[in-house]
Amino acid sequence: MIAVAACAAFLVLGDRCAVLYAEKKASEKIRDSLHLAAAPQVDIHGFPFLTQVLGKRLKRVDITVPHVDAGRVSVAEVRASGRDIRLTGDLPTAVRGAVVGRLDGDVRLSFADLNRELGASQVRFSDAGADTIAADGRLDLGGQELRVRARVQLRRTGDRGLVTDIDGMSVDVPHVATYRPGRDKGLTLHREAAERVARDAARAKALLSAPSLAARLGVGPEEVAAALRSEDRLHELTSAPRFVERLTKVNLVDAVADHPWVLRKIGVDPEVIAGLMRLRPPELTDRLSFSFRLPERAKDLKLRAVTVDHDGIRAGLGGVALPVGRAG
């Protein structure tokens, strides 16, 4: 019995040593065939291993590949599980390659990596819920740092790539106004800026002196005339809560062209606003965009469902009858 137990122990030990050797060789072959910077982690499941090799079939192999170069960004991690793997070569001494019957896994693009690798444009990405990404960045315009925000929607390009669609973009002039570029462009004052206008008689009069702006505030010609003549009537008009509320909703885009002096009077630099309005959406979206595509060497892999969580972006990965090494 002792002899049998000792033999069994040696067989188990030999089997495990063979597994470790095979995992190391498989890791090197995958690294070389896909030209990876680092060898992946390979875990071969099932016992005994040697009988699987003699039968030329492995039940399951798990692979983890860290930091795969994908162009502008890198993939934080690729996890895959291959099943029903047929080995090729003169077994058990020489394995030329394999054919993976079915592979399932996922690709992870972490926000930490995106933030670091796209940091040259000062953009930060985060989960915005409903599989949407929030982009928050900085833009220098005429020596003034502005804040750019947008919502980023992920879209698959075929079965092998991801790109971003940018919408809901806004550019903030700190403590002053928000500009929204695009077809329905708009420029609105922040509440704190609107409150400054309401408290300052000179600024309020300058605003009311532009008939089109006064009309958008819901102030009629007679009310405007009375407010411009009387400080008391002006204070009565501007101290009403609805005045500030309406002022934060008035689109000032037309004022840039028709009444540029009004912007300066109410504390908005017309040159900064004019510079903002000269920006085209493509110029801004390029700062917030990124894309990803599976390496050409992994041409048999396909991307599946794409989701967003608090750590980053995950995309399902799959394929059938995938060759590794010399599979023929």
Side-chain angles (χ1 to χ4, degrees):
M1 290 178 65
I2 294 174
V4 170
C7 288
F10 278 117
L11 287 173
V12 170
L13 180 61
D15 191 81
R16 293 302 89 191
C17 288
V19 168
L20 293 175
Y21 177 79
E23 289 173 343
K24 181 177 182 296
K25 288 298 183 182
S27 175
E28 293 172 352
K29 189 170 287 290
I30 294 171
R31 179 197 61 194
D32 295 340
S33 63
L34 297 180
H35 297 271
L36 301 174
Q41 179 182 332
V42 177
D43 296 304
I44 300 175
H45 295 263
F47 179 82
F49 166 69
L50 291 174
T51 58
Q52 295 183 75
V53 173
L54 292 173
K56 293 189 176 183
R57 284 193 182 273
L58 301 179
K59 296 178 181 178
R60 173 185 160 193
V61 177
D62 293 339
I63 302 170
T64 302
V65 186
H67 297 290
V68 179
D69 182 26
R72 192 180 179 191
V73 298
S74 67
V75 178
E77 186 179 72
V78 178
R79 289 181 178 271
S81 180
R83 298 177 184 275
D84 189 23
I85 301 157
R86 179 172 58 83
L87 303 176
T88 61
D90 299 324
L91 302 178
T93 57
V95 178
R96 291 200 308 268
V99 177
V100 181
R102 187 180 85 250
L103 184 140
D104 298 292
D106 63 65
V107 176
R108 182 169 67 88
L109 289 162
S110 74
F111 288 136
D113 286 346
L114 288 176
N115 294 341
R116 182 179 63 253
E117 294 172 20
L118 300 180
S121 56
Q122 296 180 297
V123 180
R124 293 293 178 268
F125 297 94
S126 60
D127 179 20
D131 288 340
T132 303
I133 300 169
D136 192 332
R138 296 290 183 268
L139 169 69
D140 183 81
L141 184 65
Q144 184 167 359
E145 189 176 77
L146 310 180
R147 185 179 184 183
V148 183
R149 288 180 288 188
R151 293 174 67 84
V152 181
Q153 299 285 347
L154 294 169
R155 176 169 52 86
R156 280 194 303 168
T157 54
D159 294 325
R160 298 178 50 76
L162 292 175
V163 295
T164 52
D165 292 326
I166 310 295
D167 62 13
M169 181 175 291
S170 66
V171 184
D172 283 345
V173 182
H175 313 295
V176 178
T178 296
Y179 175 61
R180 293 177 174 80
R183 184 172 52 187
D184 301 320
K185 62 185 178 182
L187 174 67
T188 54
L189 291 178
H190 292 175
R191 188 172 189 86
E192 58 187 305
E195 289 174 347
R196 286 198 298 269
V197 172
R199 290 193 302 265
D200 189 308
R203 291 178 177 181
K205 285 182 178 180
L207 183 68
L208 295 172
S209 297
S212 61
L213 295 179
R216 293 184 184 187
L217 285 168
V219 182
E222 294 182 1
E223 287 183 279
V224 170
L228 294 178
R229 287 195 306 267
S230 168
E231 294 288 333
D232 291 338
R233 293 294 298 275
L234 178 65
H235 177 72
E236 180 182 346
L237 175 64
T238 57
S239 62
R242 66 177 180 274
F243 180 83
V244 171
E245 191 66 30
R246 288 176 178 175
L247 186 51
T248 60
K249 296 178 180 178
V250 170
N251 190 346
L252 299 175
V253 165
D254 294 339
V256 176
D258 301 337
H259 311 289
W261 58 272
V262 172
L263 292 179
R264 192 176 296 280
K265 286 283 189 179
I266 64 176
V268 180
D269 186 346
E271 294 180 5
V272 172
I273 301 302
L276 267 180
M277 295 180 65
R278 284 194 295 269
L279 289 173
R280 298 293 178 261
E283 298 175 45
L284 294 171
T285 57
D286 183 61
R287 299 169 183 265
L288 308 176
S289 300
F290 61 90
S291 61
F292 158 73
R293 189 166 184 81
L294 289 172
E296 290 301 322
R297 297 177 184 87
K299 61 183 179 180
D300 297 300
L301 292 179
K302 309 295 182 185
L303 288 176
R304 294 174 179 168
V306 180
T307 58
V308 179
D309 58 31
H310 67 281
D311 290 325
I313 305 159
R314 289 187 180 274
L317 190 69
V320 294
L322 304 174
V324 179
R326 296 174 59 187

